[in-house]
Amino acid sequence: KFQSPQDYLFSGIKTIAMATFVVLVGCYYGYRVRGGPVEVGTATARAMIVNLIGIHVIGIIGSQLFWGGVPRLPIGG
């Protein structure tokens, strides 16, 4: 009722940006790991922390960019 096709497009763009970020961070940390299982675990933990922060930053920036300028956004009743 409250969503327009433009909202679906903006949500898709945010999703693609987040997914691309997660894949690139995972590839970066996975490619640079050296050693055995301990180093793999450390690289995985670092990639998870970077992804958690990055997804939130992308979400905040995307929401402000796409919906931040609408003062009468119908959220919360």
Side-chain angles (χ1 to χ4, degrees):
K1 181 177 178 181
F2 295 113
Q3 291 182 334
S4 67
Q6 187 179 18
D7 289 335
Y8 287 114
L9 175 67
F10 291 159
S11 297
I13 292 170
K14 274 180 56 176
T15 303
I16 290 170
M18 289 178 185
T20 302
F21 181 80
V22 168
V23 168
L24 290 177
V25 167
C27 288
Y28 174 77
Y29 281 99
Y31 180 73
R32 295 184 51 90
V33 70
R34 298 284 184 253
V38 173
E39 287 79 11
V40 171
T42 303
T44 302
R46 287 182 181 162
M48 286 174 50
I49 296 299
V50 171
N51 279 326
L52 283 171
I53 294 168
I55 284 176
H56 282 87
V57 169
I58 291 170
I60 291 167
I61 291 171
S63 293
Q64 286 297 316
L65 181 67
F66 295 138
W67 295 285
V70 181
R72 298 182 324 154
L73 191 63
I75 295 178

